Amino acid sequence: MSAIVTGSERIAEAFESARANGRRAALMPYLMAGYPDLERSRAIARAYVDGGADLIELGIPFSDPLADGPVIHAADVAALATGVRLDAALGIAREVAGEVPVVVMCYVNVILARGLERFADLLASVGASGLIVPDLPFEEAPAALEALDRRGLALVPLVAPTTPEERLAQIGERARGFLYTVSVTGTTGERGANAGLPEIVARARAHTDVPVAVGFGIGTPQQASAAAAAGADGVIVGTRLVRAAGDAADPATELRALVRAFAQALG
Amino acid sequence: MSTGVQHRFGPYGGQYVPETLMPALTELEAAWVEAWADPGFRARLADLLHSYVGRPSPLYLAERISAEVGHPVYLKREDLNHTGAHKINNALGQTLLAQRMGKRRIIAETGAGQHGVATATACALLDLECVVYMGTEDIRRQLPNVQRMELLGARVEPVQAGARTLKEAVSAAIRDWVTNVGDTHYILGTAAGPAPYPAIVRDLQRIIGDEARAQILERTGRLPERVIACVGGGSNAIGIFTPFVEDAGVRLIGIEPAGEGIETGRHGAPLTVGGPGGVLHGSYSAIMQDEDGQILEAHSISAGLDYPGSGPEHAWLRDQGRATYRAITDREALDAFARVARLEGIIPALESAHALAWTMANRDSELDLVCLSGRGDKDLAEALDKLGHRSEHAG
């Protein structure tokens, strides 16, 4: 390892080494910080690493998560009810960032409340590699992009099935880390098989140089495998895991096994 | 932006939404600009506003209120519109726009139910499918409007999240739109949300102020000293304020709900309280939030004002010193509700009662124009219960 590696470089390496290790796509499980409570969510992050995650997406709880379906929305509310806020949530990144790159998912108002520069400093200080802001389209993102670039952190943009070609190109050329490719028109949540995946991945790939990771609606190892077969460089699994975190008596054990099953499906 | 509408009002406004919706907002903006420039569209809307809604709404000199406060107080009677509030101005315009865009399914949020009723009405008129999201607490306290919406053929979707009021209804409507954006138009009921909504809603509601300005000039030969309107998201206020913004001598005063009192934290008055701006429901504006950026629950007896956000143009009018925002408590609004009924034979909506309460309590003016944004029939059960009133004929 070189002495100074930026967050963007770490993300790129994670995708490359997943491939080098024979995995068809990198596995990026999502974790709601503070759900079901702070201690157990820390254990879940550890379980993700042990289960074979290549990267971790760490969700910061927010009161009004407009891009999320009912399962993650409820987890946001429950995490906030336990008193977990930004600093405690990011503490989880600090614990696992030495082993896998952590990409933080945070709604824009939490970032603005802290102040963009202070927020970016905080991300850097906990060792996070990148940031996903689901309610910050590229038109509103220049200041955040600049603040993260200056610190070597990746501002990961999202594209959706509704995003037209010319807009895909504009987003793709500004992408850092990877392109978060939303695979369904809708909010986060588990769904049936998605026959449109190959076209969705191909459309995204045509407009960017960074890896293409597919999320929203990937809830089974079979769907993860299908995303890899569709050409995705990475697979993001969210709602299925958050649901298990809420249901299981021992979430860490349950989630280690679940992540392992997803990892095995990706070869 | 030469080809579109205003996205920013000073630092406020913008489009903070999931990527899935961005193309829909772009499409909506283009369709709106085209429609608004089309004399045929404008004529159709104007005809319906006249023959269906009943516009122009009257300007009424409230003589007994005037006698009490010591100067003339004119009420802009939006309560006399078809469906009983100003909401129909926006709902009808946006429904015509949706029809023009080929969207067959309409969704809306509602707090007091007035926007939901207006949207359900316009959808019945134009034969469009209509789904209205409404918090279950608001369903409880505005039941007559739920019944009206259902009679009009709309489906009312109860929203259980959070405080089960307007904020969650907006969130639920946005999530529906994210999922069904292809065939669905979201009719946002207030001058908030992501661009182009604040500009569209303002342009559709400014007819209130355009009419009122001409009416009061004709009646009194002068402009009012104060223009007063209640503010939740702020659509009736921006509608009546806009034509007066260039009239430097006219004071524009928006009245927010102080709920149980600003000092209790249980209110809905982000413009009055101040503090750092934030993003709620797609735009940057004055909002109620904690120091970590979590959105706080609003509180107001008035379901239509029970909202922790505000329209971005209001935040900018405030910062420029062009408009002033004050707050009225639940109790003060209830007293005005009852008082105006006895003084004028008009039962105002609890929302509008906030504007009336402030007007009657702050008398330093020579001539007032107050937006009576809606009628209070929907509030009878809630208001009478809170006022401790018992009918002599009740069982």
Side-chain angles (χ1 to χ4, degrees), chain A residues 84-148:
Chain A
V84 170
R85 295 293 185 273
L86 179 62
D87 298 274
L90 286 178
I92 295 171
R94 194 191 298 277
E95 290 177 28
V96 291
E99 290 153 272
V100 295
V102 175
V103 182
V104 170
M105 201 291 300
C106 187
Y107 283 86
V108 67
N109 198 51
V110 174
I111 299 169
L112 294 176
R114 183 56 59 100
L116 183 55
E117 294 296 326
R118 288 178 62 199
F119 186 91
D121 280 341
L122 190 54
L123 284 184
S125 75
V126 300
S129 295
L131 176 66
I132 300 163
V133 190
D135 53 352
L136 192 73
F138 81 84
E139 287 88 342
E140 309 290 357
L145 184 59
E146 199 272 330
L148 266 64

Side-chain angles (χ1 to χ4, degrees), chain B residues 135-216:
Chain B
T136 51
E137 166 63 10
D138 289 340
I139 288 175
R140 182 192 67 76
R141 57 182 168 171
Q142 309 277 218
L143 193 59
N145 274 344
V146 177
Q147 294 163 332
R148 290 166 79 194
M149 284 184 271
E150 289 175 346
L151 187 62
L152 290 160
R155 195 171 89 238
V156 178
E157 280 288 334
V159 180
Q160 285 284 359
R164 308 184 305 278
T165 57
L166 181 54
K167 172 171 79 90
E168 303 301 339
V170 176
S171 295
I174 291 175
R175 290 193 180 94
D176 179 310
W177 203 30
V178 170
T179 305
N180 300 296
V181 65
D183 69 346
T184 297
H185 174 59
Y186 174 30
I187 301 189
L188 186 57
T190 193
Y197 283 106
I200 291 176
V201 176
R202 175 200 61 205
D203 290 350
L204 287 168
Q205 292 292 2
R206 71 167 287 165
I207 193 167
I208 304 171
D210 285 333
E211 287 176 4
R213 191 175 182 280
Q215 287 166 324
I216 204 162

Side-chain angles (χ1 to χ4, degrees), chain B residues 297-355:
Chain B
E297 298 292 352
H299 171 83
S300 172
I301 189 171
S302 153
L305 305 183
D306 194 351
Y307 185 63
S310 61
E313 195 164 7
H314 284 295
W316 182 228
L317 287 171
R318 178 196 65 183
D319 285 7
Q320 292 173 296
R322 183 62 195 92
T324 306
Y325 296 85
R326 296 287 181 264
I328 282 292
T329 64
D330 289 349
R331 171 49 55 185
E332 292 166 328
L334 278 167
D335 289 346
F337 176 87
R339 184 100 183 102
V340 170
R342 295 288 176 98
L343 276 178
E344 297 288 347
I346 294 171
I347 300 171
L350 277 172
E351 290 78 17
S352 320
H354 285 71

